[in-house]
């Protein structure tokens, strides 16, 4: 008996964090810095900063196929292949092989994953924007979904807190639709981007073009250099892993900060699949895992649990966490667990060419673009075909030698011409908001994976609201490029993109004001299991049209602060 007690004590911590991605890393940092002994569980293998970025310093000619996707890779990374170049030999080591962890699609769904320490914090797009005030009231205003239990003012100080640590480069633009933050200096726009900005803002009231706001340090501050991070080297090879630590990731940022406290234990290769709920105590007591290599099962125990396994996997864990109190899954009195999946729809926009500015070029390869904040259904702009809105991301650049692939010619003169910059090109693509819909969902299927765990089944797609929005995304883009003086404008509206393609999956365990209609309360606590917190994309109540990761960071820091205060008051 004493041996059993000693064994359990060795498996017991103040807090368990499930997942090591963007929000999991933040949970570990905040909880350890507040004095808690924390266990971080990651289902994938360890991945060390710098040393485990094998392609980070390679040149294109060092890859046998120049980074292209081989036929076998397209088959084994089948979901990743839908999103473009992710299974290429220069970056596929960062992405999960889909044949090893399959899922079922009742409707097509593109689930892009990174199962390793750091998760997708190592290969995310890094664009970091705050939700605005109306984003938190949109559901209440138009009747789609449930009301957010918090408002912008509740999250604003936490946005500032995480921005300063993460290192968000950007300009203070003074726009209500895109709230300013605490930034390091902005990156610079090039000549065609400045030209487009002038033309758009001159010809369209209420439309703005600004430099993007990425989690990339333009000028490193002391808070960054203290962790070994440096300023961006303008290589634009971020997806391979940044050995300079210029972009924010778990490995470069939150993990070193947490490790400095001496309070963090990390265990990899452990698939968390169930939260242990004690019906008599009325709270969670731990987490069950299975070793992905040995298939051995294990239990770990803690006073508080943060689920940060990512939107889909967090709901997957909660669905398997059944008990007398929660026969349909942890916190699922509302039957909303797994529902309301959201993403940003994309693939609609326009591109064009510009003949002037031939005397201008730019330096380096900037890992960032421009942003055109939402203007549809904002201010005086009223649309009849859809509710909510969209923003654009894009960039301008000079044509390079690749343009010669479609030109006739050979010999020295032809080759010499390829070394000279071509005309300017400018491209913008829309990111549109998706409405919460309980019919967009995931379930546990009747099939099992190689660990004997249920495989996820998706039944989610775009709603009718996206039809009119996508037409506007395309037409408005062409209209703005024409006003900016571009020629040969080409529009696009790709109808073959599935939900999930934006890699911004949200919903599945939404926050709310009532346990009858939501899974979490305003502090990201699971209804009926107040010592369990969910602060990844699963918690989102609406999607806005901006990249969501900065909001995950802020929600996590806020919830961790609250959790520790409540723990000290012995309320958990």
């Amino acid at each position: 008996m004493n041996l059993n007690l000693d064994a359990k004590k060795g498996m017991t911590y103040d807090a368990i964090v499930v997942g090591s991605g963007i929000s999991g890393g933040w949970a570990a940092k905040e909880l350890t810095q507040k004095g808690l002994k924390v266990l971080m569980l990651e289902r994938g293998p360890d991945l060390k900063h710098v040393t485990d970025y094998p392609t980070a310093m390679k040149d294109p000619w060092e890859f046998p196929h120049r980074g292209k996707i081989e036929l076998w890779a397209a088959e084994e990374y089948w979901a990743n292949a839908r999103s473009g170049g992710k299974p290429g030999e220069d970056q596929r080591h960062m992405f999960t092989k889909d044949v090893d962890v399959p899922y079922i699609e009742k409707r097509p769904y593109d689930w892009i994953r990174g199962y390793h320490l750091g998760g997708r914090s190592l290969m995310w797009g890094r664009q970091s924007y705050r939700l605005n005030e109306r984003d938190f009231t949109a559901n209440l205003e138009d009747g789609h979904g449930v009301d957010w239990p918090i408002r912008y003012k509740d999250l604003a100080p936490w946005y500032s807190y995480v921005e300063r640590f993460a290192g968000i480069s950007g300009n203070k633009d003074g726009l209500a639709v895109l709230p300013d933050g605490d930034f390091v200096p902005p990156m610079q726009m090039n000549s065609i981007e400045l030209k487009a900005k002038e033309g758009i803002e001159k010809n369209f009231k209420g439309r703005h073009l600004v430099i993007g706001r990425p989690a990339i340090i333009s000028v490193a501050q002391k808070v960054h250099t203290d962790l070994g991070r440096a300023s961006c080297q303008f290589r634009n090879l971020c997806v391979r892993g940044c050995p300079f630590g210029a972009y924010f990731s778990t490995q470069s940022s939150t993990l070193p900060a947490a490790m400095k406290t001496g309070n963090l234990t990390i265990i990899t290769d452990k698939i968390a699949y169930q939260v242990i709920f004690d019906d008599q105590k009325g709270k969670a007591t731990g987490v069950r895992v299975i070793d992905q290599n040995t298939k051995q099962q294990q239990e770990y125990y803690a006073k508080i649990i943060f689920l940060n396994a990512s939107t889909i996997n967090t709901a997957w864990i909660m669905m398997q966490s059944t008990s007398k109190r929660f026969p349909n899954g942890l916190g699922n009195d509302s039957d909303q667990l797994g529902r309301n999946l959201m993403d940003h729809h994309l693939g609609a926009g326009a591109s064009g060419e510009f003949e002037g500015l031939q005397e201008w070029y730019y330096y380096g390869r900037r890992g960032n673009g421009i942003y055109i904040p939402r203007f549809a259904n904002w201010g005086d702009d009223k649309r009849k075909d859809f509710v909510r809105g969209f923003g654009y991301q894009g960039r301008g650049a000079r044509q390079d030698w690749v343009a010669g692939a479609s030109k006739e010619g050979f010999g020295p003169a032809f080759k010499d011409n390829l070394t000279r910059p071509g005309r300017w090109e400018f491209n913008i693509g829309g990111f549109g908001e998706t409405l919460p819909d309980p019919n967009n969902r995931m379930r546990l299927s009747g099939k099992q994976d190689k660990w004997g765990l249920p495989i996820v089944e998706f039944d989610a797609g775009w709603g009718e609201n996206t039809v009119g929005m996508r037409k506007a995304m395309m037409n408005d883009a062409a209209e703005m490029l024409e006003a900016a003086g571009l020629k040969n404008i080409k529009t696009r509206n790709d109808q073959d993109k599935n939900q999930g393609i934006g890699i911004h999956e949200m919903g599945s365990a939404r926050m709310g004001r009532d346990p009858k209609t939501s899974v979490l309360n305003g502090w990201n606590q699971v209804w009926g299991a107040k010592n369990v917190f969910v602060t990844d994309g699963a918690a989102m109540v609406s999607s806005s049209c901006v990249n969501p990761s900065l909001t995950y960071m802020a929600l996590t820091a806020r919830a961790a602060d609250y959790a520790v205060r409540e723990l000290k008051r012995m309320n958990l």
Side-chain angles (χ1 to χ4, degrees), residues 419-431:
T419 67
R420 301 176 184 178
R423 66 169 65 90
W424 285 98
E425 297 177 323
F426 190 71
N427 172 68
I428 54 175
F431 278 69

Side-chain angles (χ1 to χ4, degrees), residues 386-462:
F386 59 91
V387 298
R388 313 286 174 99
F390 51 87
Y392 292 99
Q393 296 181 32
R395 67 175 62 234
R398 295 287 293 270
Q399 283 183 321
D400 59 19
W401 64 271
V402 176
S406 59
K407 293 180 180 179
E408 295 182 354
F410 63 92
F414 177 76
K415 294 178 181 178
D416 181 64
N417 188 55
L418 295 184
T419 67
R420 301 176 184 178
R423 66 169 65 90
W424 285 98
E425 297 177 323
F426 190 71
N427 172 68
I428 54 175
F431 278 69
E433 179 166 0
T434 302
L435 299 176
D437 181 349
N439 295 313
N440 281 337
R441 65 182 305 179
M442 51 153 290
R443 303 180 180 89
L444 302 183
S445 73
K447 295 185 178 181
Q448 295 182 336
D449 61 22
K450 59 184 177 182
W451 299 283
L453 300 173
I455 292 175
V456 170
E457 177 185 272
F458 289 101
D459 186 3
W462 308 119

Side-chain angles (χ1 to χ4, degrees), residues 7-57:
K8 185 172 182 179
K9 184 177 180 180
M11 300 293 181
T12 301
Y13 300 81
D14 294 324
I16 293 174
V17 176
V18 179
S20 62
I22 284 176
S23 63
W26 266 102
K29 170 188 175 294
E30 294 302 300
L31 295 172
T32 55
Q33 288 182 336
K34 296 178 189 301
L36 272 60
K37 296 294 184 181
V38 177
L39 171 65
M40 173 183 277
L41 294 169
E42 166 56 47
R43 69 172 289 157
D46 190 10
L47 196 157
K48 294 286 193 296
H49 186 42
V50 183
T51 57
D52 284 341
Y53 306 152
T55 64
M57 307 303 290

Side-chain angles (χ1 to χ4, degrees), residues 298-312:
Q298 182 66 60
E299 295 181 356
Y300 296 96
Y301 308 94
K303 299 172 185 175
I304 57 175
I305 297 166
F306 270 68
L307 293 180
N308 300 95
S310 80
T311 295
I312 307 303

Side-chain angles (χ1 to χ4, degrees), residues 210-228:
V210 303
I211 189 65
R213 299 174 179 177
I216 303 176
I217 304 171
S218 56
V219 180
Q221 309 298 305
K222 186 176 185 300
V223 66
H224 309 128
T225 56
D226 283 350
L227 295 173

Side-chain angles (χ1 to χ4, degrees), residues 198-219:
E198 178 185 15
I200 291 171
E201 295 183 354
K202 177 182 177 180
N203 289 284
F204 300 96
K205 179 184 177 182
R207 301 189 190 184
H208 304 271
L209 188 154
V210 303
I211 189 65
R213 299 174 179 177
I216 303 176
I217 304 171
S218 56
V219 180

Side-chain angles (χ1 to χ4, degrees), residues 251-499:
Q251 268 82 344
S252 70
S253 308
T254 50
L255 195 57
M259 292 301 291
K260 275 189 173 185
T261 67
N263 291 329
L264 181 64
T265 300
I266 301 171
I267 301 181
T268 56
D269 293 305
K270 301 292 187 183
I271 304 172
Y273 67 92
Q274 191 175 64
V275 173
I276 305 167
F277 186 83
D278 190 311
D279 289 300
Q280 291 184 336
K281 294 181 179 179
K283 62 181 181 180
T285 57
V287 174
R288 289 193 178 96
V289 306
I290 183 169
D291 188 287
Q292 75 157 341
N293 299 315
T294 67
K295 297 185 180 179
Q296 181 179 358
Q297 298 197 37
Q298 182 66 60
E299 295 181 356
Y300 296 96
Y301 308 94
K303 299 172 185 175
I304 57 175
I305 297 166
F306 270 68
L307 293 180
N308 300 95
S310 80
T311 295
I312 307 303
N313 279 322
T314 287
W316 177 77
I317 293 169
M318 296 175 74
M319 287 178 177
Q320 295 176 81
S321 304
T322 57
S323 61
K324 289 182 180 179
R325 171 63 183 84
F326 295 112
N328 299 316
L330 186 67
N332 197 25
D333 293 341
S334 61
D335 190 35
Q336 293 301 308
L337 187 61
R339 296 182 182 270
N340 306 295
L341 285 182
M342 299 172 286
D343 188 20
H344 292 136
H345 57 96
L346 43 79
S351 60
E353 301 172 345
F354 193 79
E355 296 293 344
L357 302 173
Q358 292 299 298
E359 69 276 23
W360 295 100
Y361 201 67
Y362 43 86
Y363 177 78
R365 297 191 294 272
R366 187 190 67 200
N368 183 29
I370 58 88
Y371 191 69
I372 299 175
R374 172 185 169 182
F375 53 82
N377 289 321
W378 189 271
D380 296 331
D381 186 298
K382 308 294 183 183
R383 306 293 175 108
K384 295 182 179 179
D385 295 339
F386 59 91
V387 298
R388 313 286 174 99
F390 51 87
Y392 292 99
Q393 296 181 32
R395 67 175 62 234
R398 295 287 293 270
Q399 283 183 321
D400 59 19
W401 64 271
V402 176
S406 59
K407 293 180 180 179
E408 295 182 354
F410 63 92
F414 177 76
K415 294 178 181 178
D416 181 64
N417 188 55
L418 295 184
T419 67
R420 301 176 184 178
R423 66 169 65 90
W424 285 98
E425 297 177 323
F426 190 71
N427 172 68
I428 54 175
F431 278 69
E433 179 166 0
T434 302
L435 299 176
D437 181 349
N439 295 313
N440 281 337
R441 65 182 305 179
M442 51 153 290
R443 303 180 180 89
L444 302 183
S445 73
K447 295 185 178 181
Q448 295 182 336
D449 61 22
K450 59 184 177 182
W451 299 283
L453 300 173
I455 292 175
V456 170
E457 177 185 272
F458 289 101
D459 186 3
W462 308 119
E464 294 181 3
N465 193 61
T466 64
V467 177
M469 188 184 293
R470 294 182 65 80
K471 290 180 181 178
M473 286 163 65
M474 178 181 68
N475 294 333
D476 289 5
E479 184 181 44
M480 287 187 289
L481 296 192
E482 184 176 7
L486 282 96
K487 307 296 183 183
N488 299 323
I489 296 171
K490 298 179 180 179
T491 59
R492 61 186 182 279
N493 184 1
D494 188 347
Q495 303 290 331
D496 295 327
K497 300 295 185 184
N498 309 316
Q499 191 171 140

Side-chain angles (χ1 to χ4, degrees), residues 130 156 159-161 163-164 167-169 172 180-184:
R130 298 185 179 198
Y159 275 134
S160 295
Y161 177 76
E163 285 164 345
R164 289 191 292 268
I168 311 299
S169 67
K172 290 184 180 291
D180 290 331
D182 285 60
F183 304 135
V184 294

